[in-house]
Amino acid sequence: MNYLDIAKNQLNKLLADAYGIAVSAGELPEGAVIPPPALSKDVANGDLSSTFGLANAGAFKMPPRNIATLLHSHIDLENSLFVSAEVAGAGYINFRYAQNWYEGVLRAIAAEGDNFGKTVRERPERVMVEFVSANPTGPMTIGNARGGVLGDTLASILEAAGYDVWREFYLNDAGNQISVLGKSLEARFLQALGQDIEFPEDGYHGDYIKDFAASYIADFGDNLLTLSTEERQKALASYVLPKNVAAMENDLARYGVRFDRWYAESELHNSGYVDETIALLTKNGYTYEKDDALWLESTKFGLEKDEVMRKSNGFYTYYATDIAYHRDKLEKRGFDLVIDALGADHHGHTVRFRAGVEALGLNPNRLQFLLFQLVRLVRDGEVVRMSKRTGKSITLSDLLDEIPLDAARFFFGMRNPDVHLEFDLGLAVKASSDNPVYYVQYAHARICTMIAVLEEMGVSIDTEGDYSLLTHETEVDLIRHIAMLPEEILLAAKDYDTSRINRYLVELATRYHRFYDKCRVKDAEPALRQARTMLAVATRQTLQNGCRLLGITAPVKM
RNA sequence: GCGCUUGUAGCUCAGCGGAUAGAGUGCCCGGCUACGAACCGGUAGGUCGCAGGUUCAAAUCCUGCCAGGCGUGCCA
C-alpha cells in the first residue's frame, strides 16, 4: 500500500471540499487551482502542505495568507488521516498525520511482506529493457558495467512499479566489426606462426586478440594456412565469437545480471527481416538511391542529414539493422514500450532510432532511452585508467576480482545516470562507515541481531503491537520514511533514475540508526518493547525489499 | 559550427517552481558499565558558473554568454 499516496489523495479531497464550501459561502471566487499537496521538507512544518493560498493569490487578487485562512476554516479533519491543519508562513496550510496513518503503514508492511513497495496494475504494460549489448569482439568495459547495473536495476524497478518486464541483450554478431575481428585474428594467427604480416590499422589492438590466436593454434594447430584469407578469417571469428559470448555471459552472471534473451543480430539478416524492413521503408516512400547506396530520408524526421541504409558495397549499415531490430521489438513482438540503455557516447543514436521507428509508421514515443554518462575510476584521489595487475585497460572481470559484488552494484547505481560517475576503488572495498553499502547493510545486520536477542527473551515478531506508543520523534520519522518506498519506486520508474533507491536506502538506514541510538528496545516496558520490535521488523522488511531491487544482499551478519 | 549533456560546501553528490539550499566525506569537538561504536550528536564551510527575463515565488522554467564531457563516418 502506498500510504503516502493515500494521504495525498485524501488531502486533495479535503481541500476540494473546503474550497467548495468557501465558494458557496461567497468567501472565495470560483476557478481556483488546487495544487497537489507536497511533502514538507521540515517536520516543523508538518507532514504534508498545501500551497493553495500562494497559488491562487494572483487570480484572486488577495493576499495568500488570507486565502489560506479562509480555506482552512472549512477544512474538516474528522475521520481523516490527519490530526491537525494550520496556516503558516506566507500562506501555506500544513497538515500532520494522525495516529491511524502511522498504524496503517506498519500494518500494511506486516501484511505485504516482500511485496511491500510494489504497485499492482490491472493491465500491466509490456516493457522491454535492452541493455549492455556489448560488442562480442572483446572483454566488457567499465562502461558496460554501469550500463549493466542501471539496466538490470531499472528492469527490477519497473517490475515493482507494475510493468511486465523483459530483459534483452542485443548481440552484434554480424556486420563490419565481425569482419574486423576476423582480420585482426588472422593477422595475429599468421604472426604467431612466424609470418611477417602487418597488423590492420583499423584492427582490434588488444592483447586478447593475440591470446585467442594462440589458443586457436593450441587447439587446432596451423590447419587454416591452406584456406583462403576469407575462409580463414571466418573460421577464426567463428571460433572466437562463442567463446567471447560465453565469457560475457559468465561475467554478467557473476555480476547478478541475467537476460531473458540474447538476441543475435545475425538472425535479423538470416531471416530476411532486414530486407523486409528496408523494403517497407521504401514502400513508405522514405528511401532513394544515390552513389550506388540506398539512403533513408531521415531529414524528414528531424535529422540533420539523410543516412545510408545499404552501402555501395551491398552491405547494410548498423542503422538499417537497428531499424529492423526496433521494428521487431515494437511491431513483431508488440512491446508497448522499449527502453534502450545507452552510454552517453551513443546518445546520437536516440534521434536516429526514433526517426527510423517513425519512418516505419510506428509511434516514436514507444521507444525511450536510459542514457548514462561514463565512469571515471579513482583510487587514492588519482584517476585510474589501467589495471595494476595487467597494465591493460580495466575490464568488468578485473573489477569484480577486486570489488565485492554488493559494492560494485551499489556504486555503479548510486548516482543519477546523467552525471559522470566517479567510482572510488579504495572506498568500495573499505568495510567502514564511510562506505554507503556497508552503512545500509549494517543497519540490516543490526536489526537481525537485535531481533534474535528479543526472540530469545520471548518477544513475538508475529503479533501486532500497540503502535500508538511509538511517539518518539525518531520513531515517527522512521515510519514516515518507511512509508515512502512505494512512491520512491514509482518515481524511479518514471524518471528511469534507479539511484533514487540507493539514496532512499541510505536515508532509511540513517533513520533506523538514529532510532536505535535514542530508543532502547530490549529494556523498554513490554508494550512499548513489542511496538518497537514491530517497527524494527518493518524496517528490516523495507531494507530487504530495497536491497533486492538493487540486486544487493541484506546480510544477517557482517 | 550544429546537437545532446553537465556546472550547487575543499572533494563526491542530492534538491529541479514554494517556507532559513541539504547529505556524505574531509577538518575540529563530544558520546559506549549498553539490543553490534561498521553507530550517534555538534561546530565550521555556499556570489547554487555568469547575465538578463517569466512568476505572488527561481538553484529549479526561458534566453544569451562562459567552462567541461560526448556526438556530428557508405564505423558500430
Side-chain angles (χ1 to χ4, degrees):
Chain A
M1 296 287 274
N2 187 340
Y3 262 75
L4 180 57
D5 207 42
I6 290 171
K8 280 184 179 175
N9 286 336
Q10 187 182 85
L11 185 49
N12 248 329
K13 197 171 172 305
L14 291 174
L15 291 166
D17 290 349
Y19 177 56
I21 297 170
V23 169
S24 52
E27 293 169 353
L28 290 174
E30 288 186 54
V33 291
I34 303 184
L39 269 182
S40 303
K41 278 187 210 159
D42 187 345
V43 285
N45 296 325
D47 296 313
L48 291 175
S49 68
S50 168
T51 52
F52 182 91
L54 299 156
N56 294 296
F60 289 1
K61 297 195 168 56
M62 285 169 73
R65 208 174 154 109
N66 294 6
I67 300 172
T69 306
L70 282 169
L71 191 73
H72 175 257
S73 66
H74 298 297
I75 293 173
D76 179 11
L77 296 180
E78 192 79 22
N79 296 322
S80 77
L81 294 167
F82 301 94
V83 69
S84 71
E86 56 189 46
V87 176
Y92 298 91
I93 310 174
N94 295 332
F95 297 82
R96 242 168 244 288
Y97 296 136
Q99 194 52 241
N100 58 352
W101 184 84
Y102 292 99
E103 293 175 18
V105 171
L106 292 174
R107 295 214 170 88
I109 292 160
E112 293 174 36
D114 288 348
N115 288 322
F116 171 63
K118 289 185 187 168
T119 297
V120 178
R121 290 170 202 273
E122 285 191 10
R123 202 195 64 83
E125 276 183 73
R126 292 179 61 230
V127 182
M128 176 198 286
V129 183
E130 184 218 316
F131 60 109
V132 184
S133 301
N135 276 337
T137 54
M140 280 182 296
T141 63
I142 297 302
N144 297 142
R146 188 178 191 191
V149 168
L150 293 178
D152 186 48
T153 307
L154 177 62
S156 300
I157 285 173
L158 289 169
E159 277 164 354
Y163 296 94
D164 181 3
V165 181
W166 179 266
R167 292 166 165 85
E168 189 151 301
F169 186 116
Y170 182 50
L171 185 62
N172 299 112
D173 64 342
N176 192 50
Q177 58 199 338
I178 299 301
S179 68
V180 172
L181 175 67
K183 279 181 205 160
S184 311
L185 286 164
E186 181 192 33
R188 294 304 185 205
F189 172 79
L190 295 174
Q191 284 172 349
L193 294 173
Q195 295 194 18
D196 187 16
I197 300 284
E198 205 172 316
F199 192 76
E201 202 172 313
D202 63 348
Y204 296 127
H205 290 263
D207 283 346
Y208 61 91
I209 297 289
K210 287 184 195 165
D211 298 342
F212 276 130
S215 129
Y216 184 91
I217 293 168
D219 285 356
F220 301 106
D222 60 2
N223 67 337
L224 295 178
L225 283 174
T226 54
L227 297 181
S228 70
T229 267
E230 196 185 325
E231 285 173 317
R232 189 155 55 220
Q233 291 177 359
K234 218 173 162 181
L236 284 163
S238 321
Y239 168 78
V240 161
L241 215 52
K243 278 185 186 297
N244 225 336
V245 171
M248 290 197 304
E249 210 160 346
N250 186 49
D251 284 348
L252 287 165
R254 219 178 129 194
Y255 203 40
V257 176
R258 281 188 181 72
F259 294 90
D260 293 305
R261 180 166 177 187
W262 291 60
Y263 192 107
E265 178 187 349
S266 54
E267 282 180 42
L268 288 168
H269 293 285
N270 297 340
S271 65
Y273 199 67
V274 182
D275 296 321
E276 191 191 312
T277 301
I278 300 308
L280 178 62
L281 290 172
T282 301
K283 184 174 151 253
N284 289 352
Y286 297 126
T287 65
Y288 61 89
E289 300 217 23
K290 192 182 86 180
D291 304 333
D292 299 327
L294 184 73
W295 296 72
L296 177 73
E297 284 185 278
S298 38
T299 44
K300 284 196 172 162
F301 302 98
L303 266 62
E304 283 185 18
K305 55 183 194 55
D306 290 342
E307 300 278 352
V308 173
M309 293 281 100
R310 195 180 57 232
K311 300 183 260 185
S312 50
N313 65 10
F315 290 104
Y316 289 117
T317 59
Y318 89 96
Y319 186 33
T321 322
D322 268 312
I323 292 176
Y325 180 41
H326 284 97
R327 179 175 166 229
D328 177 275
K329 294 175 177 179
L330 292 167
E331 192 174 275
K332 196 169 173 185
R333 287 191 275 169
F335 285 97
D336 297 305
L337 175 67
V338 168
I339 301 169
D340 291 356
L342 295 175
D345 52 339
H346 287 92
H347 76 254
H349 286 7
T350 60
V351 280
R352 283 198 284 275
F353 286 2
R354 282 230 181 94
V357 165
E358 204 176 344
L360 289 168
L362 299 167
N363 179 357
N365 291 329
R366 287 171 60 200
L367 177 59
Q368 297 290 335
F369 299 92
L370 164 58
L371 282 175
F372 57 93
Q373 293 293 327
L374 302 184
V375 180
R376 182 169 44 226
L377 288 176
V378 172
R379 193 196 321 262
D380 305 326
E382 305 240 330
V383 176
V384 181
R385 289 205 176 74
M386 298 294 154
S387 154
K388 242 182 198 173
R389 187 170 51 80
T390 61
K392 299 171 207 159
S393 56
I394 297 187
T395 64
L396 173 58
S397 65
D398 289 336
L399 187 86
L400 291 177
D401 289 341
E402 184 171 350
I403 307 291
L405 173 62
D406 286 340
R409 290 201 59 128
F410 195 94
F411 273 62
F412 277 117
M414 74 181 173
R415 300 295 179 221
N416 184 314
D418 40 51
V419 56
H420 275 101
L421 177 71
E422 180 143 320
F423 193 116
D424 189 328
L425 291 166
L427 182 59
V429 294
K430 222 165 143 187
S432 75
S433 57
D434 41 353
N435 184 334
V437 192
Y438 287 91
Y439 184 77
V440 170
Q441 293 183 326
Y442 179 57
H444 183 265
R446 232 183 180 185
I447 296 173
C448 290
T449 329
M450 186 181 79
I451 287 175
V453 171
L454 288 161
E455 282 190 299
E456 258 176 54
M457 293 169 59
V459 177
S460 160
I461 63 162
D462 295 317
T463 47
E464 263 190 27
D466 177 1
Y467 297 130
S468 69
L469 297 173
L470 300 175
T471 54
H472 191 272
E473 68 175 297
T474 60
E475 295 169 329
V476 164
D477 196 34
L478 180 56
I479 301 170
R480 258 199 300 260
H481 204 74
I482 287 172
M484 280 165 59
L485 179 64
E487 190 72 11
E488 287 292 330
I489 290 172
L490 290 177
L491 288 170
K494 176 169 122 344
D495 296 341
Y496 306 161
D497 180 7
T498 62
S499 66
R500 291 192 76 100
I501 304 301
N502 297 62
R503 267 176 254 123
Y504 171 79
L505 286 175
V506 172
E507 285 294 315
L508 180 61
T510 301
R511 301 304 201 287
Y512 181 76
H513 288 311
R514 284 213 265 259
F515 156 73
Y516 182 91
D517 193 58
K518 292 279 185 260
C519 299
R520 300 284 305 169
V521 180
K522 201 179 75 178
D523 315 328
E525 293 301 314
L528 181 57
R529 186 178 64 198
Q530 181 65 39
R532 284 181 173 167
T533 302
M534 297 320 291
L535 176 55
V537 170
T539 309
R540 180 171 68 173
Q541 183 72 61
T542 309
L543 283 167
Q544 284 172 6
N545 294 2
C547 286
R548 197 178 321 110
L549 285 174
L550 299 185
I552 66 175
T553 60
V556 172
K557 256 190 246 173
M558 307 176 56

